[in-house]
Amino acid sequence: MISTAALAALVLAMQAPAWTWTLYEGSGPIVLANERPDTPDLRTTLECSAGSGIARVSVYQSTLKPGFATVTSGDQSATTEAGPGADQAVVASLRTDHPVFGRFSASGTLSMTVGEARQVIQIDAGDLAKLRRFADLCGG
């Protein structure tokens, strides 16, 4: 027999929106967010100014700490500085014309390693068009 508290937790979990990738474009920065819609919950955001050629990758709820980061996608990699961001995020900048970003746009997989900590960002095939649109809008 299930307890009332367990049943209540199960009902709340079933009502929570699923994680999704959402592209926000229009006035202001362009943002691709891995979020639970209509909640403050974020895992990852990619943000840029249109035409700037630079994407800021923010990772939330992670073991990553600020420091020099190795960013890898497939056989491509780059080194960049990861700094502190809002809401305890770690933020790294990448050029959208760098081969690592190109490989990320093709595969949907990007890993960021700082020291011993590693975070993988995964965009499923169904959302790759959003990532490619983001890269097109940000491109310099």
Side-chain angles (χ1 to χ4, degrees), residues 6-83:
L7 182 60
L10 181 61
V11 168
L12 283 175
M14 291 172 55
Q15 292 176 346
W19 288 95
T20 187
W21 284 95
T22 307
L23 180 62
Y24 298 96
E25 57 181 294
S27 63
I30 298 159
V31 178
L32 180 60
N34 186 215
E35 64 179 353
R36 288 187 200 212
D38 302 320
T39 74
D41 298 340
L42 291 171
R43 284 187 183 147
T44 306
T45 59
L46 287 81
E47 181 180 335
C48 73
S49 297
S52 69
I54 307 241
R56 291 171 302 284
V57 181
S58 298
V59 180
Y60 302 83
Q61 305 171 19
S62 173
T63 59
L64 293 176
K65 302 287 183 210
F68 285 101
T70 300
V71 183
T72 306
S73 184
D75 60 353
Q76 300 295 320
S77 66
T79 301
T80 186
E81 189 168 359

Side-chain angles (χ1 to χ4, degrees), residues 117-135:
R118 182 173 179 253
Q119 180 73 40
V120 176
I121 299 165
Q122 182 66 48
I123 298 179
D124 294 328
D127 290 317
L128 279 178
K130 294 174 189 174
L131 176 58
R132 291 179 186 130
R133 172 81 176 146
F134 173 85

Side-chain angles (χ1 to χ4, degrees), residues 93-113:
S93 295
L94 287 173
R95 292 202 47 84
T96 57
D97 62 356
H98 192 284
V100 75
F101 203 90
R103 178 69 73 188
F104 176 41
S105 293
S107 70
T109 302
L110 183 79
S111 70
M112 188 183 312
T113 304

